[in-house]
Amino acid sequence: MAENPPSNRPDDSENDDENAKDPFSEMFGSLFGGAGGFDPKNLPAGLGEAMGLSDNPEAMAQMMAQAQAMMAAMAKGDGGPVNWKMATDAARQSIASNDPSISANRASAVANAARLAEMWLDAATVFEADGSECRAFSRAEWVEKTMPVWKSLTEPVALSVGKAITAALGEQIPEQMRPMMGGAQGMLQQLGGTMFGMQLGTAVGGLAKDVLGATDIGLPLAGSAPALVPTNIAAFGEGLEIPEQEILLFAALRECAHARLFNRVPWLRSSVISAVESYARGIHIDMSRIEEAVRDIDPMNPESFQSLMGEGLFMPKRTAAQETALAKLELVLALIEGWVDEVVAAAAANLPGAPGLRETIRRRRAAGGPAENAFASLVGLELRPRRLREAAALWAHLLEERGLEGRDAIWAHPDLLPTDEDLKDPQGFTSRRQLAEASMDDIDAALSKLLAGGFDEPEAGKDDASDTPEEGGKPDSPTDSGAEKGPEPESPGDK
């Protein structure tokens, strides 16, 4: 038995070439918690020197411990362009210190405010409630409920970002380390997805501390039922000198009005989401910015990885397709917010603090806040209704001109929605619409006549028009050069 170890060693040395592990894989194996853990003394040859840490084993160990935490998070990802587990965890972590659970009393207050809001809205719009009860979310619940929509909105951006980061990191790898890379390309892609997930989670966590409900940024983020975040409503009301109950009721009116609009206009949600996705798919990554940021990464500071996703990542120049998608999105967001603004103003006519709250919300939506700015810098898109006041003026004009049913009927089809010109000139909306409808009627009539055979043959009769007098020829005219020269039995010469 004592002779076995010596007898096995030669075999092992002979098979070293066959069983040798990629040193880069060995390092990442230790980062993932492989047997024996990480020992800075056992660094792959050249790695410490390449990273400038060959004389500082403790610093290398600290860096590897930080990297191990990131790699553990990467391991929990699903391999997609974004590590959604990391995004959700980062969002929840950013709000964990101040996120009280929803008490029964607060949940009851939200439900009661929503029921009263629905009654008031019945007189302000023809769109009916669907009977869903308004939910009360904690900030963490808001994150969990809205994350599927964030995933849909940001995956096109994340895919571009992941490719750019992978390429930039690959270029920045020291020469000494490149032979060790082997199959580490997938690892770099996961790193890009993890970094994006961390930044996205931070941005969503910031929004979770700011939004009043599930539709506060103009998109239905948490399904069809209305939902409010009481903690944020209380924070919003600080310093306004308006009773908290009035603020809660006003927030419920806005949330329930949004819910009615999206529930009763089935094409609206998909239209808004697709506009955001179309814009996101066309985003161009500023590679020079990525490369510069990668060069600035400090291995000793994990926060420097997060700064890679900061402001200036996206090229300011937009493609024609993006400009079209953005114009469509801004118009639809303005129309949504303008309609909600007008409907809520009418429904809250008897609420003393309503005028002040309306103006505060208008300014808040137009200016945005730190959380919205963080999301905009990450995704390259601002979800703000910049033309809210113009849209509200248009809906007010249509109410005066057409009544509730006529105003709300505009939402029946996307082709009926007001245009950019209508926002600039609400008074001319009806006349422009009548001209467009008359033009369409003419086209329909002409098409029906053509299909019924009511038109003469086009162009085909021109070459032989003289052969058939009924088709426009003039055989009796002495100047008609196209007259038939065939037999003329009735001529005097034949007699």
Side-chain angles (χ1 to χ4, degrees), residues 300-319:
M300 297 301 300
N301 180 13
E303 292 182 0
S304 65
F305 282 88
Q306 297 184 36
S307 67
L308 180 63
M309 306 297 297
E311 222 171 310
L313 180 65
F314 302 98
M315 295 177 63
K317 185 177 180 180
R318 299 185 179 102
T319 65

Side-chain angles (χ1 to χ4, degrees), residues 136-320:
F137 285 163
S138 66
R139 290 168 173 172
E141 288 173 321
W142 186 90
V143 168
E144 293 287 349
K145 297 293 185 180
T146 62
M147 194 56 75
V149 175
W150 296 123
K151 180 177 180 179
S152 172
L153 295 179
T154 59
E155 270 198 327
V157 182
L159 190 59
S160 297
V161 170
K163 289 179 179 178
I165 291 177
T166 301
L169 288 174
E171 289 295 324
Q172 297 300 318
I173 291 175
E175 290 291 339
Q176 299 94 321
M177 289 180 62
R178 293 192 180 185
M180 310 173 194
M181 287 295 294
Q185 191 75 8
M187 185 69 69
L188 291 180
Q189 291 175 353
Q190 288 185 40
L191 178 60
T194 299
M195 292 163 63
F196 189 91
M198 290 170 65
Q199 287 297 104
L200 177 62
T202 302
V204 172
L207 286 171
K209 292 185 283 188
D210 192 48
V211 295
L212 304 184
T215 60
D216 208 36
I217 65 171
L219 301 174
L221 297 174
S224 59
L228 295 174
V229 185
T231 302
N232 294 345
I233 294 174
F236 168 74
E238 292 177 0
L240 293 182
E241 298 182 356
I242 298 176
E244 184 178 350
Q245 187 59 34
E246 286 191 29
I247 297 173
L248 177 60
L249 180 54
F250 193 84
L253 282 166
R254 285 185 52 81
E255 182 69 15
C256 292
H258 274 106
R260 288 190 183 208
L261 180 62
F262 281 107
N263 287 336
R264 299 307 176 187
V265 183
W267 57 265
L268 184 57
R269 181 183 185 278
S270 60
S271 178
V272 176
I273 298 296
S274 66
V276 177
E277 291 174 341
S278 297
Y279 180 87
R281 278 193 296 270
I283 281 180
H284 290 270
I285 306 302
D286 186 352
M287 287 299 297
S288 63
R289 170 75 180 97
I290 290 280
E291 292 169 1
E292 180 183 350
V294 169
R295 285 195 297 269
D296 293 340
I297 286 179
D298 179 5
M300 297 301 300
N301 180 13
E303 292 182 0
S304 65
F305 282 88
Q306 297 184 36
S307 67
L308 180 63
M309 306 297 297
E311 222 171 310
L313 180 65
F314 302 98
M315 295 177 63
K317 185 177 180 180
R318 299 185 179 102
T319 65

